[in-house]
Amino acid sequence: MTAVEFSDTDSVVKFGTSRMSNARAYNSPVREEKARETREAILTALFELMDSASAADEISTEAIALRAGVQRRTVFRHFATKDDLLATFWPWLNARIGVPATPENLKEIIDGPRQAFPKFDTHEAAIRSSLHSRTGREMRTGTVAKRRANFAHALAPATASLPPAEAKKIKSLAHLLFSASAWEVLKDYGGLTGTEAGETASWALEVILSAVTSGHSPADVASQMKETGNEN
């Protein structure tokens, strides 16, 4: 910086500018990698705290920093608020465990539970913590609007011609069946494994969406099933 401000010759100015440019070029990748590693450590720390059966209902920033081996201020240097951290964490967690959290079409919605629920079993404590702890609820609440818009887009081919009230029902059922809440209920109340729960939820989605895309409402299908049952 001194060479640029105080030298009277162009050559010195160019030399100083070049040196600073080289320094930035040299430091930038190093700093970026360090920043990436620190962010990863913070997210991993939150995951490990949530994946612990003894995790507290409220996971503090101090606990996250301690687990990550950084100062508390470092957490806020990478995530301006805890809400920012939680908003980043949920898609990061889905990517870590290989869950297709953002289906883009009907097939991906139908196959979603089948792919995701067995993987939830491998990180059961973290998934249950995301459902029941205050930190987990805050995390999921922050993703609702984006998730709702994503599902609406993916379901559009099946719901576009439906009355708004019917379309809303289909979207709500898709959200429910392709969710950690459905995984938990099917395991705890249905006595199913994650794999069985995934097959069940995907089957239900397939039945519902097949009925809708074939021109029938779920009510029509239910009525037909009832009549068939009475005939037997």
Side-chain angles (χ1 to χ4, degrees), residues 90 99 109 112-113 116-117 120 127 131 140 147 151 172-186 197-198 201 205:
W90 190 239
V99 172
I109 285 181
F117 289 8
F120 286 167
I127 300 301
L131 291 171
R140 290 183 298 109
R147 175 180 165 89
F151 269 65
S172 297
L173 283 170
H175 276 281
L176 171 62
L177 290 167
F178 187 0
S179 72
S181 296
W183 162 82
E184 183 179 59
V185 169
L186 288 169
L205 282 166

mmCIF file of all heavy atoms in Angstrom, residues 90 99 109 112-113 116-117 120 127 131 140 147 151 172-186 197-198 201 205:
data_model
loop_
_atom_site.group_PDB
_atom_site.id
_atom_site.type_symbol
_atom_site.label_atom_id
_atom_site.label_comp_id
_atom_site.label_asym_id
_atom_site.label_seq_id
_atom_site.Cartn_x
_atom_site.Cartn_y
_atom_site.Cartn_z
ATOM 1 N N TRP A 90 -30.202 -27.249 7.712
ATOM 2 C CA TRP A 90 -31.146 -28.278 7.266
ATOM 3 C C TRP A 90 -30.804 -28.818 5.882
ATOM 4 O O TRP A 90 -30.701 -30.033 5.707
ATOM 5 C CB TRP A 90 -32.570 -27.733 7.324
ATOM 6 C CG TRP A 90 -33.632 -28.760 7.115
ATOM 7 C CD1 TRP A 90 -34.583 -28.770 6.148
ATOM 8 C CD2 TRP A 90 -33.867 -29.949 7.890
ATOM 9 N NE1 TRP A 90 -35.384 -29.873 6.265
ATOM 10 C CE2 TRP A 90 -34.974 -30.615 7.319
ATOM 11 C CE3 TRP A 90 -33.243 -30.515 8.997
ATOM 12 C CZ2 TRP A 90 -35.469 -31.819 7.823
ATOM 13 C CZ3 TRP A 90 -33.728 -31.724 9.501
ATOM 14 C CH2 TRP A 90 -34.829 -32.356 8.918
ATOM 15 N N VAL A 99 -30.372 -37.220 1.470
ATOM 16 C CA VAL A 99 -31.826 -37.178 1.356
ATOM 17 C C VAL A 99 -32.233 -36.181 0.279
ATOM 18 O O VAL A 99 -31.784 -35.032 0.300
ATOM 19 C CB VAL A 99 -32.461 -36.765 2.703
ATOM 20 C CG1 VAL A 99 -33.953 -36.520 2.540
ATOM 21 C CG2 VAL A 99 -32.216 -37.841 3.752
ATOM 22 N N ILE A 109 -41.155 -36.862 -5.915
ATOM 23 C CA ILE A 109 -41.993 -36.792 -4.715
ATOM 24 C C ILE A 109 -42.414 -38.197 -4.287
ATOM 25 O O ILE A 109 -42.340 -38.558 -3.113
ATOM 26 C CB ILE A 109 -43.219 -35.900 -4.962
ATOM 27 C CG1 ILE A 109 -42.798 -34.426 -4.965
ATOM 28 C CG2 ILE A 109 -44.299 -36.136 -3.895
ATOM 29 C CD1 ILE A 109 -43.920 -33.444 -5.174
ATOM 30 N N GLY A 112 -39.444 -40.091 -2.971
ATOM 31 C CA GLY A 112 -38.742 -39.431 -1.871
ATOM 32 C C GLY A 112 -38.708 -40.206 -0.568
ATOM 33 O O GLY A 112 -37.624 -40.470 -0.017
ATOM 34 N N PRO A 113 -39.872 -40.575 -0.010
ATOM 35 C CA PRO A 113 -39.852 -41.321 1.260
ATOM 36 C C PRO A 113 -39.104 -42.646 1.157
ATOM 37 O O PRO A 113 -38.389 -43.043 2.083
ATOM 38 C CB PRO A 113 -41.347 -41.551 1.550
ATOM 39 C CG PRO A 113 -42.033 -40.435 0.832
ATOM 40 C CD PRO A 113 -41.237 -40.229 -0.430
ATOM 41 N N ALA A 116 -35.514 -41.622 1.395
ATOM 42 C CA ALA A 116 -35.100 -40.865 2.575
ATOM 43 C C ALA A 116 -35.266 -41.604 3.903
ATOM 44 O O ALA A 116 -34.381 -41.541 4.765
ATOM 45 C CB ALA A 116 -35.873 -39.540 2.638
ATOM 46 N N PHE A 117 -36.373 -42.284 4.080
ATOM 47 C CA PHE A 117 -36.687 -42.838 5.404
ATOM 48 C C PHE A 117 -35.663 -43.848 5.915
ATOM 49 O O PHE A 117 -35.324 -43.833 7.101
ATOM 50 C CB PHE A 117 -38.098 -43.434 5.406
ATOM 51 C CG PHE A 117 -39.205 -42.408 5.339
ATOM 52 C CD1 PHE A 117 -38.926 -41.066 5.114
ATOM 53 C CD2 PHE A 117 -40.535 -42.784 5.490
ATOM 54 C CE1 PHE A 117 -39.948 -40.113 5.047
ATOM 55 C CE2 PHE A 117 -41.558 -41.853 5.425
ATOM 56 C CZ PHE A 117 -41.263 -40.515 5.199
ATOM 57 N N PHE A 120 -32.933 -41.881 7.349
ATOM 58 C CA PHE A 120 -33.282 -41.268 8.634
ATOM 59 C C PHE A 120 -32.947 -42.226 9.781
ATOM 60 O O PHE A 120 -32.565 -41.798 10.865
ATOM 61 C CB PHE A 120 -34.769 -40.927 8.684
ATOM 62 C CG PHE A 120 -35.167 -39.738 7.852
ATOM 63 C CD1 PHE A 120 -36.503 -39.474 7.596
ATOM 64 C CD2 PHE A 120 -34.217 -38.871 7.325
ATOM 65 C CE1 PHE A 120 -36.889 -38.374 6.840
ATOM 66 C CE2 PHE A 120 -34.587 -37.771 6.560
ATOM 67 C CZ PHE A 120 -35.928 -37.517 6.316
ATOM 68 N N ILE A 127 -32.580 -36.744 13.661
ATOM 69 C CA ILE A 127 -33.875 -36.493 13.029
ATOM 70 C C ILE A 127 -34.941 -36.266 14.085
ATOM 71 O O ILE A 127 -35.762 -35.340 13.976
ATOM 72 C CB ILE A 127 -34.264 -37.670 12.112
ATOM 73 C CG1 ILE A 127 -33.214 -37.858 11.008
ATOM 74 C CG2 ILE A 127 -35.642 -37.435 11.507
ATOM 75 C CD1 ILE A 127 -33.021 -36.633 10.129
ATOM 76 N N LEU A 131 -37.246 -32.795 15.147
ATOM 77 C CA LEU A 131 -38.696 -32.766 15.282
ATOM 78 C C LEU A 131 -39.153 -32.210 16.624
ATOM 79 O O LEU A 131 -40.196 -31.559 16.696
ATOM 80 C CB LEU A 131 -39.261 -34.183 15.113
ATOM 81 C CG LEU A 131 -39.175 -34.793 13.712
ATOM 82 C CD1 LEU A 131 -39.565 -36.260 13.752
ATOM 83 C CD2 LEU A 131 -40.059 -34.029 12.736
ATOM 84 N N ARG A 140 -36.550 -26.122 11.201
ATOM 85 C CA ARG A 140 -37.517 -26.551 10.199
ATOM 86 C C ARG A 140 -38.481 -25.431 9.826
ATOM 87 O O ARG A 140 -38.871 -25.296 8.662
ATOM 88 C CB ARG A 140 -38.279 -27.774 10.702
ATOM 89 C CG ARG A 140 -37.419 -29.029 10.764
ATOM 90 C CD ARG A 140 -38.197 -30.252 11.184
ATOM 91 N NE ARG A 140 -38.754 -30.118 12.516
ATOM 92 C CZ ARG A 140 -40.033 -29.957 12.783
ATOM 93 N NH1 ARG A 140 -40.902 -29.888 11.792
ATOM 94 N NH2 ARG A 140 -40.468 -29.857 14.020
ATOM 95 N N ARG A 147 -39.826 -24.794 1.073
ATOM 96 C CA ARG A 147 -40.265 -26.169 0.830
ATOM 97 C C ARG A 147 -41.660 -26.176 0.197
ATOM 98 O O ARG A 147 -41.929 -26.932 -0.734
ATOM 99 C CB ARG A 147 -40.271 -26.950 2.143
ATOM 100 C CG ARG A 147 -40.828 -28.365 2.054
ATOM 101 C CD ARG A 147 -40.782 -29.030 3.421
ATOM 102 N NE ARG A 147 -41.609 -30.224 3.487
ATOM 103 C CZ ARG A 147 -41.196 -31.440 3.185
ATOM 104 N NH1 ARG A 147 -39.956 -31.626 2.770
ATOM 105 N NH2 ARG A 147 -42.011 -32.474 3.294
ATOM 106 N N PHE A 151 -42.566 -27.812 -3.431
ATOM 107 C CA PHE A 151 -43.549 -28.872 -3.605
ATOM 108 C C PHE A 151 -44.651 -28.430 -4.566
ATOM 109 O O PHE A 151 -45.133 -29.222 -5.383
ATOM 110 C CB PHE A 151 -44.140 -29.283 -2.261
ATOM 111 C CG PHE A 151 -43.404 -30.410 -1.594
ATOM 112 C CD1 PHE A 151 -42.105 -30.249 -1.162
ATOM 113 C CD2 PHE A 151 -44.006 -31.636 -1.396
ATOM 114 C CE1 PHE A 151 -41.414 -31.276 -0.546
ATOM 115 C CE2 PHE A 151 -43.331 -32.686 -0.781
ATOM 116 C CZ PHE A 151 -42.025 -32.504 -0.357
ATOM 117 N N SER A 172 -50.843 -30.668 0.764
ATOM 118 C CA SER A 172 -50.664 -30.911 2.198
ATOM 119 C C SER A 172 -50.325 -32.372 2.471
ATOM 120 O O SER A 172 -49.464 -32.681 3.301
ATOM 121 C CB SER A 172 -51.934 -30.516 2.962
ATOM 122 O OG SER A 172 -52.204 -29.140 2.829
ATOM 123 N N LEU A 173 -51.001 -33.278 1.760
ATOM 124 C CA LEU A 173 -50.718 -34.704 1.936
ATOM 125 C C LEU A 173 -49.311 -35.051 1.471
ATOM 126 O O LEU A 173 -48.623 -35.866 2.102
ATOM 127 C CB LEU A 173 -51.746 -35.539 1.172
ATOM 128 C CG LEU A 173 -53.124 -35.667 1.821
ATOM 129 C CD1 LEU A 173 -54.116 -36.301 0.862
ATOM 130 C CD2 LEU A 173 -53.033 -36.473 3.112
ATOM 131 N N ALA A 174 -48.885 -34.449 0.378
ATOM 132 C CA ALA A 174 -47.523 -34.700 -0.107
ATOM 133 C C ALA A 174 -46.495 -34.223 0.906
ATOM 134 O O ALA A 174 -45.509 -34.921 1.183
ATOM 135 C CB ALA A 174 -47.310 -34.005 -1.456
ATOM 136 N N HIS A 175 -46.725 -33.035 1.478
ATOM 137 C CA HIS A 175 -45.825 -32.531 2.519
ATOM 138 C C HIS A 175 -45.768 -33.493 3.695
ATOM 139 O O HIS A 175 -44.695 -33.768 4.245
ATOM 140 C CB HIS A 175 -46.323 -31.169 3.019
ATOM 141 C CG HIS A 175 -45.892 -30.016 2.189
ATOM 142 N ND1 HIS A 175 -44.640 -29.465 2.270
ATOM 143 C CD2 HIS A 175 -46.547 -29.310 1.243
ATOM 144 C CE1 HIS A 175 -44.545 -28.459 1.417
ATOM 145 N NE2 HIS A 175 -45.686 -28.353 0.774
ATOM 146 N N LEU A 176 -46.919 -33.979 4.116
ATOM 147 C CA LEU A 176 -46.986 -34.865 5.278
ATOM 148 C C LEU A 176 -46.282 -36.184 5.024
ATOM 149 O O LEU A 176 -45.445 -36.631 5.824
ATOM 150 C CB LEU A 176 -48.444 -35.123 5.649
ATOM 151 C CG LEU A 176 -48.685 -36.206 6.716
ATOM 152 C CD1 LEU A 176 -48.038 -35.812 8.038
ATOM 153 C CD2 LEU A 176 -50.173 -36.453 6.896
ATOM 154 N N LEU A 177 -46.620 -36.823 3.913
ATOM 155 C CA LEU A 177 -46.098 -38.162 3.648
ATOM 156 C C LEU A 177 -44.610 -38.168 3.341
ATOM 157 O O LEU A 177 -43.914 -39.137 3.631
ATOM 158 C CB LEU A 177 -46.881 -38.800 2.495
ATOM 159 C CG LEU A 177 -48.336 -39.167 2.837
ATOM 160 C CD1 LEU A 177 -49.116 -39.484 1.575
ATOM 161 C CD2 LEU A 177 -48.378 -40.333 3.812
ATOM 162 N N PHE A 178 -44.116 -37.066 2.769
ATOM 163 C CA PHE A 178 -42.681 -36.951 2.492
ATOM 164 C C PHE A 178 -42.074 -36.040 3.557
ATOM 165 O O PHE A 178 -41.653 -34.933 3.292
ATOM 166 C CB PHE A 178 -42.481 -36.378 1.096
ATOM 167 C CG PHE A 178 -41.044 -36.366 0.620
ATOM 168 C CD1 PHE A 178 -39.994 -36.838 1.402
ATOM 169 C CD2 PHE A 178 -40.734 -35.890 -0.644
ATOM 170 C CE1 PHE A 178 -38.689 -36.823 0.956
ATOM 171 C CE2 PHE A 178 -39.429 -35.861 -1.115
ATOM 172 C CZ PHE A 178 -38.403 -36.330 -0.311
ATOM 173 N N SER A 179 -42.059 -36.529 4.790
ATOM 174 C CA SER A 179 -41.554 -35.723 5.906
ATOM 175 C C SER A 179 -41.003 -36.625 7.000
ATOM 176 O O SER A 179 -41.362 -37.804 7.107
ATOM 177 C CB SER A 179 -42.666 -34.844 6.489
ATOM 178 O OG SER A 179 -43.605 -35.621 7.204
ATOM 179 N N ALA A 180 -40.159 -36.048 7.828
ATOM 180 C CA ALA A 180 -39.622 -36.785 8.974
ATOM 181 C C ALA A 180 -40.730 -37.130 9.955
ATOM 182 O O ALA A 180 -40.652 -38.137 10.666
ATOM 183 C CB ALA A 180 -38.540 -35.958 9.666
ATOM 184 N N SER A 181 -41.774 -36.304 10.001
ATOM 185 C CA SER A 181 -42.905 -36.587 10.900
ATOM 186 C C SER A 181 -43.584 -37.890 10.502
ATOM 187 O O SER A 181 -43.944 -38.706 11.366
ATOM 188 C CB SER A 181 -43.910 -35.433 10.859
ATOM 189 O OG SER A 181 -43.342 -34.244 11.352
ATOM 190 N N ALA A 182 -43.785 -38.104 9.195
ATOM 191 C CA ALA A 182 -44.400 -39.350 8.729
ATOM 192 C C ALA A 182 -43.497 -40.536 9.052
ATOM 193 O O ALA A 182 -43.976 -41.602 9.467
ATOM 194 C CB ALA A 182 -44.661 -39.266 7.225
ATOM 195 N N TRP A 183 -42.208 -40.360 8.832
ATOM 196 C CA TRP A 183 -41.236 -41.418 9.173
ATOM 197 C C TRP A 183 -41.379 -41.815 10.641
ATOM 198 O O TRP A 183 -41.448 -43.006 10.970
ATOM 199 C CB TRP A 183 -39.826 -40.900 8.895
ATOM 200 C CG TRP A 183 -38.714 -41.649 9.553
ATOM 201 C CD1 TRP A 183 -38.128 -42.808 9.123
ATOM 202 C CD2 TRP A 183 -38.030 -41.283 10.759
ATOM 203 N NE1 TRP A 183 -37.125 -43.192 9.986
ATOM 204 C CE2 TRP A 183 -37.037 -42.272 11.002
ATOM 205 C CE3 TRP A 183 -38.149 -40.225 11.646
ATOM 206 C CZ2 TRP A 183 -36.183 -42.224 12.099
ATOM 207 C CZ3 TRP A 183 -37.303 -40.165 12.747
ATOM 208 C CH2 TRP A 183 -36.340 -41.162 12.959
ATOM 209 N N GLU A 184 -41.450 -40.833 11.523
ATOM 210 C CA GLU A 184 -41.518 -41.110 12.959
ATOM 211 C C GLU A 184 -42.826 -41.803 13.341
ATOM 212 O O GLU A 184 -42.828 -42.787 14.089
ATOM 213 C CB GLU A 184 -41.376 -39.809 13.746
ATOM 214 C CG GLU A 184 -41.358 -40.035 15.253
ATOM 215 C CD GLU A 184 -41.196 -38.733 16.021
ATOM 216 O OE1 GLU A 184 -42.052 -37.841 15.848
ATOM 217 O OE2 GLU A 184 -40.233 -38.612 16.788
ATOM 218 N N VAL A 185 -43.947 -41.303 12.819
ATOM 219 C CA VAL A 185 -45.248 -41.887 13.163
ATOM 220 C C VAL A 185 -45.359 -43.319 12.654
ATOM 221 O O VAL A 185 -45.841 -44.210 13.368
ATOM 222 C CB VAL A 185 -46.393 -41.015 12.592
ATOM 223 C CG1 VAL A 185 -47.735 -41.747 12.699
ATOM 224 C CG2 VAL A 185 -46.469 -39.683 13.331
ATOM 225 N N LEU A 186 -44.923 -43.557 11.425
ATOM 226 C CA LEU A 186 -45.003 -44.910 10.878
ATOM 227 C C LEU A 186 -44.105 -45.879 11.644
ATOM 228 O O LEU A 186 -44.441 -47.061 11.794
ATOM 229 C CB LEU A 186 -44.609 -44.894 9.398
ATOM 230 C CG LEU A 186 -45.641 -44.246 8.463
ATOM 231 C CD1 LEU A 186 -45.058 -44.042 7.070
ATOM 232 C CD2 LEU A 186 -46.913 -45.094 8.389
ATOM 233 N N ALA A 197 -41.362 -48.000 6.340
ATOM 234 C CA ALA A 197 -42.078 -46.719 6.405
ATOM 235 C C ALA A 197 -41.952 -45.967 5.090
ATOM 236 O O ALA A 197 -42.915 -45.370 4.602
ATOM 237 C CB ALA A 197 -41.529 -45.871 7.556
ATOM 238 N N GLY A 198 -40.755 -46.004 4.506
ATOM 239 C CA GLY A 198 -40.546 -45.340 3.223
ATOM 240 C C GLY A 198 -41.380 -45.956 2.120
ATOM 241 O O GLY A 198 -41.983 -45.241 1.309
ATOM 242 N N ALA A 201 -45.111 -44.890 2.723
ATOM 243 C CA ALA A 201 -45.400 -43.499 2.369
ATOM 244 C C ALA A 201 -45.334 -43.289 0.865
ATOM 245 O O ALA A 201 -46.175 -42.584 0.287
ATOM 246 C CB ALA A 201 -44.426 -42.567 3.086
ATOM 247 N N LEU A 205 -48.402 -42.059 -1.606
ATOM 248 C CA LEU A 205 -48.261 -40.945 -2.547
ATOM 249 C C LEU A 205 -48.574 -41.385 -3.973
ATOM 250 O O LEU A 205 -49.216 -40.651 -4.734
ATOM 251 C CB LEU A 205 -46.841 -40.380 -2.470
ATOM 252 C CG LEU A 205 -46.541 -39.474 -1.281
ATOM 253 C CD1 LEU A 205 -45.034 -39.267 -1.133
ATOM 254 C CD2 LEU A 205 -47.241 -38.132 -1.445
#
